[in-house]
Amino acid sequence: VRQGVDFMIAHCREHGGLIAEVRVESQRYRPFALEHTLASVLWGMPGAAGVSPLHRELLRGVKHDLSDVSASVLTTALLDLISAVAEDSPLLIALEEPEVYSRGALRSLIHGIAALKGCPVLLLVLARSGTAPPAPLYYWRPSVFQSTV
C-alpha cells in the first residue's frame, strides 16, 4: 500500500499538484489536533495567504486555548485555507494515522472537502494495517455520500 501512496504522491508532484503530508505529532489526545496539524502543513504552501483574515487569526490560534471557539467555526476556517491553497494547483492531502484524531473532526473534514465546489482536493486517509477505520469513512459521488463500511 505504501508504494501505491508514494507513487500517487510522486505522480501528483510531477503534474504540478501540491502535497500536504499530515503526520501525527503526538499519540496523546489533544483538542483540535487534526485542525492544528493540517493547518501547520498548509501554512507553508503557495496560496495560503489567500485565506480570510478572520480565519487566519483563528487557525494561528489553534496552538493555544480555543475553548471558546466551536469546532464548526474552526472547520470552516480550515476549509477556507484548503480552498485557498488549492485555488491555483490541485491539492493532495495525505492524512496518516487517522485513529488518533477526533472522529467528529474527521467527518467534518471529509464532508467539508466533498462540499467544496470546483476545488481540486483529494483527501487520502492512511491507516496502519490492522487498525479499524476512525469513523465510518465516506466516499463522495455527486450529491450522495455512501459509507465504505
Side-chain angles (χ1 to χ4, degrees):
V1 172
R2 186 71 223 185
Q3 284 179 321
V5 170
D6 290 341
F7 174 79
M8 185 181 292
I9 288 172
H11 184 75
C12 187
R13 277 196 180 113
E14 284 174 20
H15 291 85
L18 299 171
I19 312 298
E21 292 186 73
V22 182
R23 297 171 191 258
V24 174
E25 295 176 352
S26 169
Q27 294 295 328
R28 287 185 2 202
Y29 173 76
R30 262 185 6 181
F32 304 115
L34 175 60
E35 295 85 348
H36 171 261
T37 307
L38 181 53
S40 296
V41 171
L42 294 173
W43 279 127
M45 301 185 111
V51 72
S52 78
L54 174 63
H55 291 157
R56 180 181 300 114
E57 189 70 27
L58 275 171
L59 291 170
R60 297 234 182 225
V62 172
K63 296 177 187 173
H64 311 295
D65 179 37
L66 288 175
S67 54
D68 60 334
V69 176
S70 76
S72 64
V73 168
L74 200 52
T75 299
T76 300
L78 187 60
L79 291 169
D80 182 28
L81 178 58
I82 289 169
S83 64
V85 169
E87 188 171 317
D88 295 326
S89 297
L91 174 63
L92 168 64
I93 301 172
L95 180 68
E96 296 188 14
E97 299 186 57
E99 62 276 1
V100 302
Y101 299 117
S102 152
R103 288 180 182 205
L106 279 168
R107 282 190 194 120
S108 294
L109 181 64
I110 291 166
H111 285 273
I113 288 174
L116 293 174
K117 301 289 185 219
C119 194
V121 178
L122 173 63
L123 175 63
L124 183 60
V125 180
L126 309 163
R128 294 181 188 200
S129 350
T131 60
L137 295 179
Y138 297 87
Y139 67 91
W140 180 78
R141 288 198 299 191
S143 304
V144 178
F145 284 101
Q146 293 192 341
S147 175
T148 59
V149 178

